[in-house]
Amino acid sequence: MAAENTFAFRGTYYHTPTYGSLDALRDVVLIVQEGKIVRIANGHEETAVQAEFGLAEVRRLKAGQYFVPGFIDTHVHAPQYLFTGTGTDVPLMEWLRKYTFPAECSFQDLEAARHRYLLLVKRFLANGTTTAMYYGSLHLQPNLVLVDSIERLGQRGVVGKVNMDRLSSDDYIENTADGLRDAEKFVTYTMGKKCSRIQPCITPRFIPTCTPELMKGLAEIAQKYGCHIQSHISECCGEVNCVREMHPEYASDAAVFEEMGLLTSRTVMAHGTLLTDDDIRHLARRGTAVSHCPLSNFFLGDAFFKVNHALSLGLKVGLGTDVAGGISPSMLSAQRMAVVNSRCIRAHKLAVSGGTTVTPEMEKDVITFKEALWLATVGGAQALDMADIVGTFEVGKEFDALLVDTNLSGTSGPFDVFEGEDDDQRFEKFINLGDDRNLIEVYVQGVCVKRGDEFLLDGSNVTKSAEEDSDRVMSAPTPAEPETAYVDLAHRADSSDEAASLDVGAAAEDGAPAPESESEPPTKRLRY
Ligand code: GUN
Ligand code: FE
């Protein structure tokens, strides 16, 4: 008898276990059980493995199809998806006032929030983002809608309610006490879902909009619940100069965050283009990561983030779209921008030299699509403290994966493949030229959440509206509870691949997380 929730694919899997090298697991049979990779066998072992696991079939990938680990976007502003692709005419501080705060404020309309957040999560899944680190908005309720949307569609997420108690517009600001109270409510609401894919994040927007009292209070909440933390650090001249004026007693953004207790091994700081080497070393000592957001840095920033240099100083680095500062929700685009960014650094150095000789020193910052893919997978997993769970194809990790089809030629796909091109060339074409059309299936925790044009978990009734959840916000459990049962996608009631696509109505009507099956309790997982 096959164990429940077991399936296997035979084919080629591309991943980047080490920075700078692309590994191909060619013609292997990869077996997924209960959402996890339990075996990677040689193709010629197919019959034996099939018998061992009692599988009715081993699905074979067609020529030109490959698996790649799901992309991890370490910096997205969920409500800004509304105006992505517009508002590119002003620098950061003006951009926040002119476009961002009004857009984020409009999510108080919860019907609108529900509609927009489903579109957002679908767009990101369609582009291969299986995990995202999201900023929500200031107000509590729309953030609950965001969490519900991620849960419903099956994405993996680290999600934060934005906190701001100074220097924002009058209708988009909170007082310190309310901000701290709502941040904690958000954390307990999210943890109360007991959904292993979704973790709460403490989110002081950035230093200019957060008083020291707020930042210190938020650091305490993060410590109490073992939460992730996210913010922006040394992003651009406007921001850095503002912080220097507001806090002349601190030498840098990093020094402010350090004093507030916000630099932890679960912190992800976005941008960091103006970090000094000392700042970088300090972040590295704390285990804090930087989300490199090249496209956003081109639009809102003034400087380059040097990935190779930061890594050489021991910093953890992931990749982010920074929607909407970055104008594309695609992590393929982010990877390409990371490569272009690195080549701009070389060009800049050459220009400064005034000569026509490219020296090895100038080459140091250049990365290829292989390093970019590492940043989008392994680097992101490390930044989010998930490196033991996702990022590569290894036994014991969860199966977050994209089925890439490079056979869509002509007008049905973004690129053509020519006779004689091998798998490696086809895969490189996908990374450099591909788009969502090439992603024919998207898996999170071993469950297919998107196939073709269909979002297979959509239509589920996992939660009711966020307004009706206000009681749960108050009563959600704290980590003081001795054991917390986290429900994986693979452990949702009847969540075999096919079943998950058809029947997720088992979730409770009253907004509670999906009930545990009588016969098969969900796995226990202590995240904190
Ligand atoms: N700094 C503070 N808020 C933001 C934001 O929304 N986007 C970016 N890129 N930087 C910020
Ligand atoms: Fe940002």
Side-chain angles (χ1 to χ4, degrees), residues 305-328:
F305 181 74
K306 296 177 180 166
V307 173
N308 284 347
H309 181 62
L311 288 170
S312 77
L313 296 180
L315 192 70
K316 292 192 285 192
V317 183
L319 195 57
T321 58
D322 192 22
V323 156
I327 57 170
S328 168

Side-chain angles (χ1 to χ4, degrees), residues 148 151 189 193 460-465 469 472 507-509 511-512:
D148 293 350
E151 183 189 30
Y189 175 85
K193 283 192 168 284
S460 72
N461 191 18
V462 173
T463 55
K464 257 186 164 180
S465 64
D469 273 324
R472 292 191 61 235
E509 285 287 311

Side-chain angles (χ1 to χ4, degrees), residues 96-117:
L96 289 171
R97 273 189 298 274
K98 187 173 173 186
Y99 301 109
T100 309
F101 294 158
E104 292 187 7
C105 195
S106 75
F107 279 68
Q108 282 177 97
D109 175 346
L110 296 184
E111 267 313 310
R114 219 166 276 126
H115 173 67
R116 295 166 184 173
Y117 279 151

Side-chain angles (χ1 to χ4, degrees), residues 203-221:
T203 309
R205 179 172 214 120
F206 69 155
I207 297 166
T209 57
C210 299
T211 62
E213 189 189 352
L214 178 66
M215 287 191 273
K216 284 184 177 162
L218 289 172
E220 280 172 23
I221 296 171

Side-chain angles (χ1 to χ4, degrees), residues 75-77 80 95 135 232 235 270-271 293 296 322-323 325:
H75 189 62
V76 189
H77 295 268
Q80 294 176 22
W95 177 82
Y135 287 57
H232 299 81
E235 176 175 358
H271 306 289
C293 304
S296 172
D322 192 22
V323 156

Side-chain angles (χ1 to χ4, degrees), residues 211-261:
T211 62
E213 189 189 352
L214 178 66
M215 287 191 273
K216 284 184 177 162
L218 289 172
E220 280 172 23
I221 296 171
Q223 196 183 15
K224 178 174 172 187
Y225 294 94
C227 291
H228 294 267
I229 297 171
Q230 60 185 345
S231 192
H232 299 81
I233 196 167
S234 303
E235 176 175 358
C236 60
C237 296
E239 176 267 318
V240 164
N241 293 336
C242 177
V243 176
R244 290 297 73 72
E245 260 180 47
M246 294 173 97
H247 295 285
E249 67 278 25
Y250 296 104
S252 66
D253 285 15
V256 178
F257 282 128
E258 167 67 18
E259 179 70 14
M260 303 306 151

